[in-house]
Amino acid sequence: MPHARYLAGLLALFVGLAGPAIAQAQQPERPNIVFAFADDWGAHAGAYGTKGLDTPTFDRVAEDGVLFEHAFVAAPSCTPSRGAVLTGQHIWRLGPGANLHSTLPAALPVYPALLEAAGYFAGHTGKGWGPGTLEPGGRSERPAGTPFDSFDAFLAARPDGAPFVFWFGSSDPHRPFDDSLRQAMRIDPATVTVPPYLPDVPTVRRDIANYYAEVQRFDRDVGALLERIAQAGELDNTIVVISGDHGWPFPRGKSHLYDAGSRVPLAIRWPDEAEAQRTVSDFVSLIDLAPTLLEAAGVEPPAQMQGRSLVGLLRSERAGRVEEHRAHVILAKERHHGLSRPDSAGYPSRAIRTEQFLYIRNVKPERWPAGSPRISSSQWIFSDTDDGAAKRWMIDHADDPLVRPLFLLSFGKRPAEELYDLRTDPHQMHNVAGDPEYAMVRDHLAHTLEQELRALEDPRMIGGAERFDDYPYYVGYGMEAVEPPAPVRRALRLPR
Ligand SMILES: [Ca+2]
Protein backbone atom coordinates (compact mmCIF):
# COMPACT_ATOMS: atom_id res chain seq x y z
CA MET A 1 0.00 0.00 0.00
CA PRO A 2 2.24 2.82 -1.23
CA HIS A 3 -0.39 5.41 -0.34
CA ALA A 4 -0.49 4.39 3.32
CA ARG A 5 3.29 4.26 3.43
CA TYR A 6 3.48 7.74 1.94
CA LEU A 7 1.09 9.02 4.57
CA ALA A 8 3.06 7.26 7.31
CA GLY A 9 6.22 8.92 5.98
CA LEU A 10 4.57 12.32 6.04
CA LEU A 11 3.34 11.67 9.56
CA ALA A 12 6.82 10.66 10.67
CA LEU A 13 8.22 13.86 9.18
CA PHE A 14 5.55 15.91 10.90
CA VAL A 15 6.16 14.14 14.20
CA GLY A 16 9.88 14.67 13.85
CA LEU A 17 9.35 18.38 13.45
CA ALA A 18 6.60 18.87 15.97
CA GLY A 19 7.77 16.62 18.82
CA PRO A 20 6.43 13.62 20.74
CA ALA A 21 3.32 15.30 22.20
CA ILE A 22 1.83 15.56 18.72
CA ALA A 23 2.98 12.02 17.94
CA GLN A 24 0.84 10.73 20.79
CA ALA A 25 -2.17 12.59 19.46
CA GLN A 26 -1.70 11.67 15.81
CA GLN A 27 -0.72 8.02 16.03
CA PRO A 28 -3.68 5.65 15.77
CA GLU A 29 -3.98 3.27 18.70
CA ARG A 30 -2.25 0.02 17.82
CA PRO A 31 -4.30 -3.10 18.43
CA ASN A 32 -3.46 -5.70 21.06
CA ILE A 33 -3.11 -9.20 19.64
CA VAL A 34 -4.22 -12.42 21.29
CA PHE A 35 -3.55 -15.76 19.67
CA ALA A 36 -5.27 -18.74 21.31
CA PHE A 37 -3.60 -21.88 19.99
CA ALA A 38 -4.93 -25.35 20.73
CA ASP A 39 -2.78 -28.48 20.55
CA ASP A 40 -4.06 -31.15 18.10
CA TRP A 41 -7.44 -29.56 17.33
CA GLY A 42 -8.85 -30.47 13.94
CA ALA A 43 -11.59 -28.51 12.17
CA HIS A 44 -14.28 -29.48 14.67
CA ALA A 45 -16.45 -26.74 16.20
CA GLY A 46 -20.05 -25.73 16.50
CA ALA A 47 -19.42 -23.03 13.88
CA TYR A 48 -18.36 -25.75 11.44
CA GLY A 49 -21.46 -27.81 12.14
CA THR A 50 -19.83 -30.50 14.28
CA LYS A 51 -22.67 -32.23 16.11
CA GLY A 52 -22.40 -32.98 19.81
CA LEU A 53 -19.54 -30.50 20.31
CA ASP A 54 -20.16 -27.24 22.14
CA THR A 55 -17.68 -24.42 21.37
CA PRO A 56 -19.46 -21.17 22.33
CA THR A 57 -16.27 -19.08 22.54
CA PHE A 58 -14.96 -20.05 19.13
CA ASP A 59 -18.43 -19.65 17.64
CA ARG A 60 -18.81 -16.17 19.15
CA VAL A 61 -15.42 -15.01 17.89
CA ALA A 62 -16.37 -16.34 14.44
CA GLU A 63 -19.69 -14.53 14.68
CA ASP A 64 -18.00 -11.27 15.71
CA GLY A 65 -15.41 -11.61 12.96
CA VAL A 66 -14.40 -13.94 10.16
CA LEU A 67 -14.72 -17.74 10.08
CA PHE A 68 -12.28 -19.50 7.74
CA GLU A 69 -13.52 -22.67 6.05
CA HIS A 70 -10.22 -23.59 4.45
CA ALA A 71 -7.47 -22.98 6.99
CA PHE A 72 -4.50 -25.36 6.93
CA VAL A 73 -1.27 -25.77 8.85
CA ALA A 74 2.11 -25.80 7.11
CA ALA A 75 2.83 -29.24 8.60
CA PRO A 76 0.74 -31.71 10.65
CA SER A 77 3.23 -31.88 13.53
CA CYS A 78 3.65 -29.65 16.63
CA THR A 79 7.17 -28.27 16.31
CA PRO A 80 7.27 -27.52 12.57
CA SER A 81 3.71 -26.18 12.55
CA ARG A 82 4.44 -23.81 15.43
CA GLY A 83 7.77 -22.77 13.91
CA ALA A 84 5.99 -21.98 10.65
CA VAL A 85 3.35 -19.88 12.45
CA LEU A 86 5.98 -17.89 14.35
CA THR A 87 8.27 -17.29 11.36
CA GLY A 88 5.64 -17.02 8.61
CA GLN A 89 7.68 -19.48 6.56
CA HIS A 90 7.27 -22.99 5.21
CA ILE A 91 8.86 -25.74 7.28
CA TRP A 92 11.68 -26.56 4.83
CA ARG A 93 13.05 -23.06 5.42
CA LEU A 94 13.40 -23.70 9.16
CA GLY A 95 16.40 -26.06 8.91
CA PRO A 96 16.12 -28.48 11.86
CA GLY A 97 12.83 -26.73 12.74
CA ALA A 98 11.14 -28.79 10.00
CA ASN A 99 11.21 -31.74 12.40
CA LEU A 100 9.47 -32.59 15.67
CA HIS A 101 11.57 -32.20 18.87
CA SER A 102 14.10 -30.02 17.09
CA THR A 103 15.40 -26.48 17.43
CA LEU A 104 14.61 -23.13 15.80
CA PRO A 105 17.71 -21.34 14.44
CA ALA A 106 18.14 -17.86 15.94
CA ALA A 107 18.56 -16.29 12.50
CA LEU A 108 14.87 -16.85 11.75
CA PRO A 109 12.80 -13.78 12.74
CA VAL A 110 9.59 -14.49 14.68
CA TYR A 111 6.60 -12.16 14.82
CA PRO A 112 6.39 -11.70 18.63
CA ALA A 113 10.02 -10.48 18.73
CA LEU A 114 9.43 -8.16 15.77
CA LEU A 115 6.42 -6.67 17.53
CA GLU A 116 8.40 -6.39 20.75
CA ALA A 117 11.06 -4.41 18.88
CA ALA A 118 8.26 -2.10 17.70
CA GLY A 119 7.14 -1.36 21.25
CA TYR A 120 4.73 -4.21 21.95
CA PHE A 121 4.76 -6.17 25.18
CA ALA A 122 5.10 -9.86 24.19
CA GLY A 123 4.40 -12.93 26.31
CA HIS A 124 2.85 -16.34 26.41
CA THR A 125 1.43 -18.97 28.72
CA GLY A 126 1.54 -22.73 28.27
CA LYS A 127 2.85 -24.34 25.11
CA GLY A 128 4.62 -21.88 22.82
CA TRP A 129 7.09 -23.05 20.20
CA GLY A 130 7.99 -26.73 20.55
CA PRO A 131 8.44 -29.38 21.69
CA GLY A 132 12.18 -28.93 21.25
CA THR A 133 15.38 -27.44 22.59
CA LEU A 134 16.27 -23.81 21.86
CA GLU A 135 19.95 -23.78 22.87
CA PRO A 136 21.37 -25.65 19.85
CA GLY A 137 19.67 -23.09 17.59
CA GLY A 138 21.48 -20.28 19.38
CA ARG A 139 18.24 -18.68 20.53
CA SER A 140 18.13 -17.17 24.02
CA GLU A 141 14.58 -15.75 23.97
CA ARG A 142 11.43 -17.84 23.81
CA PRO A 143 9.94 -17.51 20.30
CA ALA A 144 6.34 -16.99 21.48
CA GLY A 145 7.41 -14.24 23.92
CA THR A 146 8.36 -14.20 27.60
CA PRO A 147 6.69 -17.05 29.53
CA PHE A 148 4.17 -16.17 32.25
CA ASP A 149 2.24 -18.31 34.73
CA SER A 150 -1.05 -16.67 33.85
CA PHE A 151 -2.58 -13.98 31.69
CA ASP A 152 -3.09 -11.87 34.84
CA ALA A 153 0.65 -12.03 35.59
CA PHE A 154 1.35 -11.00 32.00
CA LEU A 155 -1.06 -8.08 32.20
CA ALA A 156 0.37 -6.94 35.54
CA ALA A 157 3.89 -6.86 34.07
CA ARG A 158 2.86 -4.85 31.02
CA PRO A 159 4.34 -1.33 30.88
CA ASP A 160 1.75 1.46 30.97
CA GLY A 161 0.23 2.18 27.60
CA ALA A 162 2.11 -0.50 25.67
CA PRO A 163 0.02 -2.59 23.28
CA PHE A 164 0.43 -6.31 23.94
CA VAL A 165 0.84 -9.46 21.88
CA PHE A 166 -0.11 -12.56 23.83
CA TRP A 167 0.09 -16.26 22.92
CA PHE A 168 -2.31 -18.48 24.84
CA GLY A 169 -0.83 -21.96 24.37
CA SER A 170 -3.06 -24.76 25.55
CA SER A 171 -2.19 -28.46 25.80
CA ASP A 172 -5.77 -29.39 24.88
CA PRO A 173 -6.87 -31.53 23.12
CA HIS A 174 -3.51 -33.34 23.07
CA ARG A 175 -3.49 -36.94 24.32
CA PRO A 176 -3.63 -38.67 26.77
CA PHE A 177 -7.39 -38.36 27.24
CA ASP A 178 -9.36 -38.76 30.41
CA ASP A 179 -12.72 -40.56 30.67
CA SER A 180 -13.65 -38.56 33.77
CA LEU A 181 -13.43 -35.23 31.93
CA ARG A 182 -15.78 -36.55 29.25
CA GLN A 183 -18.17 -37.77 31.93
CA ALA A 184 -18.01 -34.44 33.78
CA MET A 185 -18.76 -32.63 30.51
CA ARG A 186 -21.61 -35.07 29.83
CA ILE A 187 -20.55 -35.81 26.28
CA ASP A 188 -22.44 -38.81 25.00
CA PRO A 189 -20.33 -41.04 22.71
CA ALA A 190 -23.52 -41.89 20.83
CA THR A 191 -23.71 -38.28 19.55
CA VAL A 192 -20.21 -38.01 18.04
CA THR A 193 -19.51 -38.31 14.33
CA VAL A 194 -17.18 -41.16 13.35
CA PRO A 195 -15.48 -40.41 10.03
CA PRO A 196 -15.50 -43.32 7.58
CA TYR A 197 -11.73 -43.90 7.85
CA LEU A 198 -12.20 -45.03 11.47
CA PRO A 199 -14.16 -48.10 12.60
CA ASP A 200 -17.50 -47.13 14.12
CA VAL A 201 -17.21 -49.10 17.37
CA PRO A 202 -17.85 -48.07 21.01
CA THR A 203 -14.11 -47.77 21.83
CA VAL A 204 -13.55 -45.32 18.96
CA ARG A 205 -16.70 -43.36 19.85
CA ARG A 206 -15.53 -42.97 23.45
CA ASP A 207 -12.09 -41.87 22.21
CA ILE A 208 -13.68 -39.21 19.99
CA ALA A 209 -15.98 -38.08 22.83
CA ASN A 210 -12.90 -37.73 25.07
CA TYR A 211 -11.31 -35.55 22.40
CA TYR A 212 -14.46 -33.41 22.25
CA ALA A 213 -14.23 -32.95 26.02
CA GLU A 214 -10.72 -31.51 25.75
CA VAL A 215 -11.78 -29.27 22.86
CA GLN A 216 -14.57 -27.96 25.08
CA ARG A 217 -12.13 -27.36 27.92
CA PHE A 218 -9.92 -25.34 25.56
CA ASP A 219 -12.92 -23.34 24.40
CA ARG A 220 -13.95 -22.64 27.99
CA ASP A 221 -10.41 -21.51 28.89
CA VAL A 222 -10.30 -19.14 25.91
CA GLY A 223 -13.69 -17.81 27.00
CA ALA A 224 -12.27 -17.03 30.45
CA LEU A 225 -9.27 -15.32 28.84
CA LEU A 226 -11.48 -13.10 26.69
CA GLU A 227 -13.56 -12.27 29.74
CA ARG A 228 -10.41 -11.06 31.52
CA ILE A 229 -9.47 -8.91 28.52
CA ALA A 230 -12.98 -7.45 28.52
CA GLN A 231 -12.73 -6.72 32.27
CA ALA A 232 -9.44 -4.92 31.60
CA GLY A 233 -11.35 -2.76 29.11
CA GLU A 234 -9.16 -3.91 26.20
CA LEU A 235 -11.37 -6.24 24.17
CA ASP A 236 -12.55 -3.59 21.71
CA ASN A 237 -8.95 -2.89 20.76
CA THR A 238 -7.79 -6.50 20.58
CA ILE A 239 -7.38 -8.74 17.57
CA VAL A 240 -8.37 -12.27 18.62
CA VAL A 241 -7.20 -15.27 16.61
CA ILE A 242 -8.20 -18.84 17.54
CA SER A 243 -6.75 -21.90 15.84
CA GLY A 244 -4.96 -25.21 16.35
CA ASP A 245 -1.47 -26.50 15.49
CA HIS A 246 -2.72 -29.40 13.29
CA GLY A 247 -5.47 -32.01 13.00
CA TRP A 248 -6.74 -34.42 15.62
CA PRO A 249 -4.57 -37.19 17.17
CA PHE A 250 -6.29 -40.12 15.48
CA PRO A 251 -5.10 -42.59 12.83
CA ARG A 252 -4.81 -40.82 9.45
CA GLY A 253 -5.04 -37.45 11.33
CA LYS A 254 -2.06 -35.85 13.10
CA SER A 255 1.23 -36.37 11.22
CA HIS A 256 -0.55 -37.06 7.90
CA LEU A 257 -1.22 -34.63 5.04
CA TYR A 258 -4.90 -35.55 4.70
CA ASP A 259 -7.42 -32.95 5.90
CA ALA A 260 -7.74 -34.90 9.15
CA GLY A 261 -4.13 -33.97 9.88
CA SER A 262 -3.74 -30.59 8.24
CA ARG A 263 -7.05 -28.73 8.28
CA VAL A 264 -7.71 -26.61 11.37
CA PRO A 265 -10.27 -24.21 12.78
CA LEU A 266 -9.57 -20.51 12.31
CA ALA A 267 -11.57 -17.50 13.44
CA ILE A 268 -10.30 -13.91 13.56
CA ARG A 269 -12.03 -11.05 15.29
CA TRP A 270 -10.75 -7.52 14.63
CA PRO A 271 -13.17 -4.89 15.93
CA ASP A 272 -13.82 -1.90 13.65
CA GLU A 273 -11.57 -3.34 10.93
CA ALA A 274 -12.92 -6.76 9.94
CA GLU A 275 -16.63 -6.76 9.14
CA ALA A 276 -18.38 -9.36 11.34
CA GLN A 277 -20.48 -12.39 10.41
CA ARG A 278 -18.50 -13.48 7.41
CA THR A 279 -17.51 -16.97 6.37
CA VAL A 280 -14.56 -16.96 3.99
CA SER A 281 -13.70 -19.95 1.81
CA ASP A 282 -10.29 -18.76 0.58
CA PHE A 283 -7.44 -21.19 1.14
CA VAL A 284 -5.24 -19.83 3.90
CA SER A 285 -2.18 -21.24 5.60
CA LEU A 286 -1.28 -20.47 9.20
CA ILE A 287 2.02 -19.08 7.82
CA ASP A 288 -0.18 -16.15 6.69
CA LEU A 289 -0.77 -15.13 10.31
CA ALA A 290 2.68 -13.66 11.06
CA PRO A 291 2.61 -11.13 8.18
CA THR A 292 -1.07 -10.42 8.99
CA LEU A 293 -0.40 -9.55 12.62
CA LEU A 294 2.68 -7.51 11.75
CA GLU A 295 0.79 -5.50 9.15
CA ALA A 296 -2.13 -4.94 11.52
CA ALA A 297 0.38 -3.50 14.01
CA GLY A 298 1.97 -1.26 11.38
CA VAL A 299 5.19 -3.29 11.16
CA GLU A 300 6.60 -4.24 7.75
CA PRO A 301 6.92 -8.05 7.48
CA PRO A 302 10.52 -9.16 6.68
CA ALA A 303 11.09 -10.15 3.06
CA GLN A 304 11.83 -13.81 3.92
CA MET A 305 8.32 -14.38 5.27
CA GLN A 306 6.46 -16.53 2.73
CA GLY A 307 3.00 -16.15 4.22
CA ARG A 308 0.70 -13.61 2.62
CA SER A 309 -0.98 -11.07 4.87
CA LEU A 310 -4.72 -11.53 5.38
CA VAL A 311 -5.27 -7.85 6.21
CA GLY A 312 -6.77 -7.06 2.79
CA LEU A 313 -9.12 -10.03 3.06
CA LEU A 314 -10.12 -9.11 6.61
CA ARG A 315 -10.91 -5.53 5.60
CA SER A 316 -12.67 -6.45 2.38
CA GLU A 317 -16.20 -6.87 3.86
CA ARG A 318 -16.79 -9.75 1.41
CA ALA A 319 -17.69 -13.35 2.19
CA GLY A 320 -17.12 -16.61 0.31
CA ARG A 321 -14.17 -16.54 -2.06
CA VAL A 322 -12.54 -13.14 -1.59
CA GLU A 323 -9.02 -13.13 -3.05
CA GLU A 324 -8.56 -15.03 -6.28
CA HIS A 325 -4.95 -16.04 -5.64
CA ARG A 326 -5.90 -17.97 -2.49
CA ALA A 327 -7.03 -21.02 -4.45
CA HIS A 328 -4.84 -23.65 -2.80
CA VAL A 329 -2.40 -24.35 0.02
CA ILE A 330 0.89 -26.25 0.14
CA LEU A 331 1.44 -28.83 2.90
CA ALA A 332 4.63 -30.55 3.99
CA LYS A 333 5.95 -33.26 6.26
CA GLU A 334 9.52 -34.18 7.10
CA ARG A 335 10.21 -36.08 10.31
CA HIS A 336 7.46 -36.38 12.92
CA HIS A 337 8.34 -38.92 15.62
CA GLY A 338 12.10 -39.47 15.55
CA LEU A 339 11.89 -43.10 16.61
CA SER A 340 9.45 -44.33 14.00
CA ARG A 341 11.87 -45.75 11.45
CA PRO A 342 15.41 -47.14 11.32
CA ASP A 343 18.11 -44.45 11.61
CA SER A 344 15.52 -41.88 12.72
CA ALA A 345 14.41 -41.44 9.12
CA GLY A 346 11.40 -39.23 8.45
CA TYR A 347 8.57 -39.58 5.96
CA PRO A 348 9.14 -36.67 3.58
CA SER A 349 6.07 -35.67 1.62
CA ARG A 350 4.48 -32.60 0.06
CA ALA A 351 0.94 -31.85 -0.98
CA ILE A 352 -1.26 -29.34 -2.71
CA ARG A 353 -4.86 -28.96 -1.57
CA THR A 354 -7.32 -27.20 -3.88
CA GLU A 355 -11.07 -26.88 -3.49
CA GLN A 356 -11.66 -30.09 -5.40
CA PHE A 357 -8.49 -32.14 -5.04
CA LEU A 358 -5.76 -33.24 -2.67
CA TYR A 359 -2.56 -34.32 -4.42
CA ILE A 360 0.24 -35.82 -2.30
CA ARG A 361 3.79 -36.62 -3.34
CA ASN A 362 5.48 -39.17 -1.05
CA VAL A 363 9.20 -38.77 -1.59
CA LYS A 364 10.23 -42.05 0.08
CA PRO A 365 7.33 -44.48 -0.52
CA GLU A 366 9.49 -47.43 0.55
CA ARG A 367 9.28 -46.15 4.14
CA TRP A 368 6.36 -46.68 6.53
CA PRO A 369 4.16 -43.53 6.64
CA ALA A 370 2.99 -44.00 10.23
CA GLY A 371 6.20 -45.65 11.42
CA SER A 372 7.62 -49.14 11.15
CA PRO A 373 5.65 -52.07 12.66
CA ARG A 374 8.98 -53.58 13.72
CA ILE A 375 10.19 -50.67 15.84
CA SER A 376 8.84 -49.65 19.19
CA SER A 377 9.49 -46.51 21.22
CA SER A 378 7.95 -46.38 24.69
CA GLN A 379 5.91 -49.51 23.84
CA TRP A 380 4.43 -47.96 20.68
CA ILE A 381 4.66 -49.17 17.15
CA PHE A 382 3.58 -46.82 14.34
CA SER A 383 4.91 -43.97 16.50
CA ASP A 384 3.88 -41.22 14.05
CA THR A 385 0.34 -41.82 15.34
CA ASP A 386 -0.04 -41.00 19.04
CA ASP A 387 -0.91 -43.89 21.32
CA GLY A 388 -4.63 -44.00 22.13
CA ALA A 389 -7.75 -46.11 22.32
CA ALA A 390 -8.77 -45.88 18.64
CA LYS A 391 -5.25 -46.75 17.45
CA ARG A 392 -4.95 -49.68 19.85
CA TRP A 393 -8.32 -51.05 18.82
CA MET A 394 -7.33 -50.91 15.15
CA ILE A 395 -4.05 -52.68 15.88
CA ASP A 396 -5.82 -55.39 17.89
CA HIS A 397 -8.33 -55.95 15.05
CA ALA A 398 -6.03 -55.27 12.11
CA ASP A 399 -6.66 -58.63 10.44
CA ASP A 400 -10.45 -58.54 10.80
CA PRO A 401 -11.68 -58.46 7.18
CA LEU A 402 -13.96 -55.49 7.96
CA VAL A 403 -11.21 -53.52 9.69
CA ARG A 404 -8.20 -54.40 7.53
CA PRO A 405 -8.96 -51.91 4.68
CA LEU A 406 -9.12 -49.07 7.22
CA PHE A 407 -6.06 -50.33 9.04
CA LEU A 408 -4.10 -50.32 5.76
CA LEU A 409 -5.24 -46.74 4.98
CA SER A 410 -3.83 -45.52 8.30
CA PHE A 411 -0.79 -47.74 8.79
CA GLY A 412 0.09 -49.43 5.49
CA LYS A 413 2.62 -48.23 2.94
CA ARG A 414 1.56 -45.67 0.33
CA PRO A 415 2.46 -45.11 -3.32
CA ALA A 416 4.60 -42.18 -4.46
CA GLU A 417 1.54 -40.30 -5.64
CA GLU A 418 -1.89 -39.95 -4.08
CA LEU A 419 -4.83 -38.06 -5.57
CA TYR A 420 -8.25 -37.64 -4.00
CA ASP A 421 -11.34 -36.19 -5.64
CA LEU A 422 -13.13 -34.39 -2.83
CA ARG A 423 -16.43 -34.10 -4.72
CA THR A 424 -17.00 -37.83 -4.32
CA ASP A 425 -14.44 -38.59 -1.59
CA PRO A 426 -14.35 -35.82 1.05
CA HIS A 427 -12.50 -38.05 3.54
CA GLN A 428 -9.73 -38.82 1.05
CA MET A 429 -9.86 -42.60 1.16
CA HIS A 430 -9.87 -43.62 -2.53
CA ASN A 431 -6.61 -42.88 -4.28
CA VAL A 432 -7.26 -42.15 -7.97
CA ALA A 433 -3.68 -41.19 -8.88
CA GLY A 434 -3.42 -44.31 -11.06
CA ASP A 435 -6.82 -43.86 -12.74
CA PRO A 436 -6.37 -42.85 -16.43
CA GLU A 437 -9.45 -40.61 -16.13
CA TYR A 438 -7.54 -38.44 -13.67
CA ALA A 439 -4.20 -38.45 -15.49
CA MET A 440 -4.51 -34.85 -16.68
CA VAL A 441 -5.56 -33.53 -13.29
CA ARG A 442 -2.76 -35.48 -11.59
CA ASP A 443 -0.11 -34.17 -13.97
CA HIS A 444 -1.39 -30.62 -13.67
CA LEU A 445 -1.34 -30.70 -9.87
CA ALA A 446 2.06 -32.42 -9.78
CA HIS A 447 3.44 -29.69 -12.04
CA THR A 448 1.87 -26.86 -10.03
CA LEU A 449 3.18 -28.33 -6.77
CA GLU A 450 6.68 -28.70 -8.17
CA GLN A 451 6.72 -25.16 -9.55
CA GLU A 452 5.57 -23.71 -6.25
CA LEU A 453 8.06 -25.72 -4.21
CA ARG A 454 10.87 -24.51 -6.47
CA ALA A 455 9.72 -20.91 -6.17
CA LEU A 456 9.54 -21.36 -2.38
CA GLU A 457 13.08 -22.80 -2.29
CA ASP A 458 12.27 -26.28 -1.04
CA PRO A 459 15.44 -28.44 -0.71
CA ARG A 460 13.33 -31.42 -1.84
CA MET A 461 13.33 -29.65 -5.23
CA ILE A 462 16.52 -27.61 -5.30
CA GLY A 463 18.83 -29.96 -3.38
CA GLY A 464 20.14 -30.41 0.16
CA ALA A 465 17.17 -32.31 1.59
CA GLU A 466 19.26 -35.20 3.02
CA ARG A 467 19.94 -33.11 6.11
CA PHE A 468 16.33 -33.38 7.32
CA ASP A 469 16.98 -37.02 8.29
CA ASP A 470 20.27 -36.13 9.99
CA TYR A 471 19.15 -33.41 12.39
CA PRO A 472 19.16 -34.56 16.03
CA TYR A 473 15.95 -35.64 17.78
CA TYR A 474 16.12 -34.08 21.23
CA VAL A 475 14.34 -36.73 23.24
CA GLY A 476 15.91 -39.06 25.74
CA TYR A 477 14.07 -42.33 25.29
CA GLY A 478 15.21 -45.02 22.92
CA MET A 479 13.82 -47.33 20.29
CA GLU A 480 13.88 -51.11 20.19
CA ALA A 481 13.23 -53.75 17.56
CA VAL A 482 10.04 -55.71 18.19
CA GLU A 483 8.03 -58.47 16.59
CA PRO A 484 4.76 -56.91 15.32
CA PRO A 485 1.58 -58.13 17.07
CA ALA A 486 -0.01 -61.10 15.25
CA PRO A 487 -3.03 -59.18 13.84
CA VAL A 488 -0.69 -56.53 12.41
CA ARG A 489 1.62 -59.16 10.93
CA ARG A 490 -1.32 -60.89 9.27
CA ALA A 491 -2.91 -57.66 8.05
CA LEU A 492 0.34 -56.45 6.48
CA ARG A 493 1.29 -59.98 5.25
CA LEU A 494 4.62 -59.62 7.03
CA PRO A 495 6.88 -62.67 7.29
CA ARG A 496 7.85 -63.67 10.81
CA1 LIG B 1 0.16 -30.51 18.42
Side-chain angles (χ1 to χ4, degrees), residues 398-410:
D399 58 340
D400 179 323
L402 293 175
V403 177
R404 183 169 178 262
L406 301 184
F407 173 82
L408 293 179
L409 279 181
S410 282

Side-chain angles (χ1 to χ4, degrees), residues 43-230:
H44 306 103
Y48 292 116
T50 308
K51 292 193 178 64
L53 176 61
D54 197 17
T55 54
T57 306
F58 180 80
D59 301 353
R60 195 174 65 239
V61 168
E63 183 80 9
D64 291 349
V66 179
L67 176 69
F68 289 84
E69 276 187 332
H70 292 132
F72 291 81
V73 292
S77 171
C78 300
T79 316
S81 172
R82 288 159 185 265
V85 167
L86 286 157
T87 61
Q89 302 194 50
H90 281 289
I91 66 163
W92 55 80
R93 306 246 297 177
L94 310 183
N99 293 340
L100 186 71
H101 277 291
S102 59
T103 192
L104 190 67
L108 296 164
V110 293
Y111 81 82
L114 293 166
L115 289 173
E116 202 167 32
Y120 270 72
F121 183 56
H124 82 279
T125 54
K127 187 168 175 178
W129 171 85
T133 305
L134 288 172
E135 289 72 24
R139 197 177 277 274
S140 53
E141 305 293 323
R142 302 281 286 273
T146 307
F148 286 88
D149 290 336
S150 67
F151 178 69
D152 282 344
F154 167 77
L155 215 52
R158 168 199 188 190
D160 265 354
F164 63 79
V165 53
F166 181 70
W167 171 298
F168 177 76
S170 174
S171 294
D172 286 333
H174 198 289
R175 291 180 185 274
F177 295 155
D178 180 357
D179 287 324
S180 63
L181 180 70
R182 184 233 318 154
Q183 286 152 357
M185 296 243 180
R186 298 178 186 279
I187 297 173
D188 180 359
T191 64
V192 307
T193 303
V194 183
Y197 55 86
L198 295 178
D200 191 348
V201 296
T203 301
V204 172
R205 284 187 165 270
R206 274 197 301 277
D207 208 20
I208 293 175
N210 284 353
Y211 159 83
Y212 281 14
E214 293 210 357
V215 171
Q216 291 193 179
R217 182 166 62 187
F218 168 74
D219 190 83
R220 187 192 64 195
D221 290 348
V222 178
L225 169 69
L226 298 186
E227 186 58 38
R228 280 296 295 119
I229 298 172

Side-chain angles (χ1 to χ4, degrees), residues 332-343:
K333 173 177 177 178
E334 282 297 334
R335 185 169 71 207
H336 182 57
H337 203 288
L339 307 174
S340 286
R341 298 168 200 87
D343 303 320

Side-chain angles (χ1 to χ4, degrees), residues 16-28:
L17 293 173
I22 305 264
Q24 205 69 34
Q26 295 290 323
Q27 211 172 43

Side-chain angles (χ1 to χ4, degrees), residues 47 83 112 155 209 211 239-240 313 397 445 453-454 485:
L155 215 52
Y211 159 83
I239 297 175
V240 176
L313 184 157
H397 298 83
L445 290 172
L453 295 175
R454 268 183 211 290

